Amino acid sequence: MEENKKKRIFSGIQPTNTPHLGNYFGALRNWYKLQDDYECVYSIVDLHSITVRQDPAKLRRQISESYALLLAMGIDPEKSVVFVQGHNPAHAQLSWILSCYTQFGELSRMTQFKDKSQKHADNINAGLFTYPVLMAADILLYQAELVPVGIDQKQHVELTRNIAERFNNLYGETFTMPEPYIVKSVQKIMSLADPNKKMSKSDENPNAIVTVLDDRDTIMRKFKRAVTDSGCEVKRGEGKEGIENLMSIYGAVTEKTFDEIEKEFEGKGYGDFKTAVGEAVADSLLPMQENFKRIISDKGYLEKCMKDGAGKAFAASRKTLQKVNRKVGFINL
Ligand code: TYM
């Protein structure tokens, strides 16, 4: 009985490049933390990733690696549903249906579409435009109530709510209304090379991001080089976005508040602080990195988890798709 009372969570990550600290602290770490209290469905969203050109061999490798990383960080495939989006055809099916209930104007207003179409001006494909509809389908298929994401995905969750509301108004209660779940202190981790830009997988400067698989030396080097300001006090304030970003990261690892961090580093300079942040991050990632090495080399285990996850995802989404089919006037066989 208890089981039935748990709220449902859905979230996804694109398998493009190795996840970085923004992905980890902004989203993935919460995925792990939430799995005891919620019924969680987590997906490697391969369909979303081809809205930008990918090298097929690299993409295939990244899908397995991203999947293995979720397991390595402690997401338990027995407790949560962990699957690759393209392994459940219901996502593409519902996405098509929902695209007929989404307005061109709504999609034109999405900031991610505007950003990405500027960045990839030679490939503004229809998938890039309808990307948020597929994301709405991901969430609504599982009747998710909560969606743990960073702040950059909030607009997409809001659009999902609008689509759900429109559909429910037309056809009666069909979809659960989802809420974004955003942890304020780590909602947007910034680039280490430019603290006014978010840390992003597509950044061409390797010093701008720390990935969850970087080794200790690399992590230390990147934090030492992190762009700060010309001051020397470890404090938040005007023009101190770089330090504030490092404080967010340090706080995320140590669970210390900004005030506690300011106190800890009173009278110490940026050099000491950067070393402390680097060490804390490297230590905290180490167990996951060791699990990752073990899991990625066990191809049989990975494939079994993917197959089981796909089966569970299909079973969990079937009822919603059938309901939607019925409501719009299709025939379920
Ligand atoms: P993606 O793959 O870009 O990122 C995965 C998660 O990481 C968060 N994130 C950040 N958080 C804090 N600081 C940052 N610098 C930072 N960069 C990324 C993202 O907000 C995200 O939570 N469209 C989604 C994937 C997706 C999805 C979904 C998410 C597809 N379907 C359904 C939730 C529900 C995306 O591209 O995430």
Side-chain angles (χ1 to χ4, degrees):
M1 281 304 279
E2 266 301 293
E3 280 295 292
N4 295 336
K5 281 201 203 132
K6 282 188 178 172
K7 285 191 183 173
R8 177 68 72 75
I9 279 192
F10 182 92
S11 200
I13 182 163
Q14 296 196 58
T16 46
N17 297 324
T18 307
H20 51 63
L21 295 185
N23 301 130
Y24 183 59
F25 292 125
L28 299 177
R29 200 174 56 154
N30 302 320
W31 295 13
Y32 163 72
K33 286 185 179 172
L34 293 165
Q35 63 176 347
D36 285 331
D37 298 325
Y38 295 88
E39 198 184 300
C40 300
V41 183
Y42 295 134
S43 186
I44 305 298
V45 293
D46 54 347
L47 301 180
H48 278 99
S49 68
I50 60 163
T51 50
V52 171
R53 287 277 176 272
Q54 305 290 338
D55 166 25
K58 184 176 171 219
L59 180 60
R60 203 168 294 120
R61 195 178 66 239
Q62 288 286 152
I63 294 170
S64 292
E65 286 190 7
S66 305
Y67 192 101
L69 261 174
L70 295 189
L71 305 188
M73 63 184 62
I75 294 173
D76 179 350
E78 298 294 324
K79 225 186 267 174
S80 303
V81 178
V82 190
F83 75 106
V84 177
Q85 183 189 34
H87 292 165
N88 179 5
H91 291 249
Q93 273 175 281
L94 183 62
S95 178
W96 171 256
I97 297 173
L98 295 182
S99 71
C100 302
Y101 297 83
T102 310
Q103 298 303 304
F104 183 89
E106 288 178 300
L107 292 175
S108 312
R109 285 193 290 277
M110 295 293 112
T111 53
Q112 186 171 298
F113 170 68
K114 290 190 218 164
D115 289 350
K116 288 208 173 167
S117 43
Q118 255 181 13
K119 242 190 211 160
H120 305 278
D122 56 335
N123 183 23
I124 307 176
N125 58 73
L128 196 63
F129 189 64
T130 57
Y131 178 113
V133 184
L134 179 58
M135 186 160 156
D138 298 341
I139 297 166
L140 299 179
L141 254 186
Y142 300 93
Q143 306 287 355
E145 287 179 63
L146 281 183
V147 186
V149 282
I151 194 98
D152 63 320
Q153 295 300 316
K154 188 168 177 230
Q155 195 186 31
H156 288 163
V157 182
E158 277 162 4
L159 176 70
T160 302
R161 289 170 60 86
N162 292 342
I163 299 171
E165 195 177 9
R166 185 170 304 139
F167 198 95
N168 287 351
N169 285 340
L170 276 169
Y171 298 106
E173 226 30 50
T174 309
F175 295 122
T176 304
M177 211 47 93
E179 296 272 354
Y181 177 100
I182 298 172
V183 178
K184 203 161 177 298
S185 56
V186 282
Q187 61 184 359
K188 196 173 183 185
I189 299 290
M190 310 308 276
S191 150
L192 297 189
D194 177 356
N196 296 308
K197 246 172 60 182
K198 80 167 181 178
M199 189 176 281
S200 162
K201 278 189 212 149
S202 56
D203 205 312
E204 275 153 22
N205 178 355
N207 291 320
I209 58 176
V210 171
T211 83
V212 297
L213 291 179
D214 279 348
D215 61 29
R216 179 173 290 268
D217 289 348
T218 310
I219 294 173
M220 295 308 291
R221 181 170 42 79
K222 288 181 178 175
F223 276 110
K224 275 188 189 144
R225 283 201 192 158
V227 170
T228 50
D229 53 275
S230 56
C232 58
E233 276 183 300
V234 179
K235 260 182 183 307
R236 285 157 295 172
E238 192 63 29
K240 293 176 81 75
E241 292 78 10
I243 282 294
E244 182 164 339
N245 188 38
L246 297 185
M247 289 172 79
S248 300
I249 295 172
Y250 188 67
V253 181
T254 60
E255 304 204 333
K256 289 178 184 162
T257 62
F258 280 116
D259 288 340
E260 286 168 339
I261 300 170
E262 286 178 7
K263 223 180 195 155
E264 183 179 346
F265 291 93
E266 219 170 63
K268 293 186 186 150
Y270 286 177
D272 288 344
F273 180 51
K274 285 176 169 180
T275 303
V277 181
E279 276 170 357
V281 168
D283 288 346
S284 80
L285 294 178
L286 196 61
M288 181 211 309
Q289 294 177 342
E290 283 174 354
N291 289 340
F292 174 77
K293 276 186 216 146
R294 190 169 37 78
I295 295 169
I296 197 68
S297 60
D298 191 346
K299 296 277 177 268
Y301 173 69
L302 256 186
E303 201 177 307
K304 182 183 178 304
C305 290
M306 276 192 197
K307 271 196 185 144
D308 290 352
K312 287 185 201 164
F314 183 71
S317 61
R318 201 163 159 257
K319 225 164 108 190
T320 304
L321 189 63
Q322 290 197 334
K323 196 163 153 192
V324 170
N325 281 341
R326 212 169 43 240
K327 298 230 175 187
V328 299
F330 295 164
I331 296 172
N332 281 315
L333 289 179

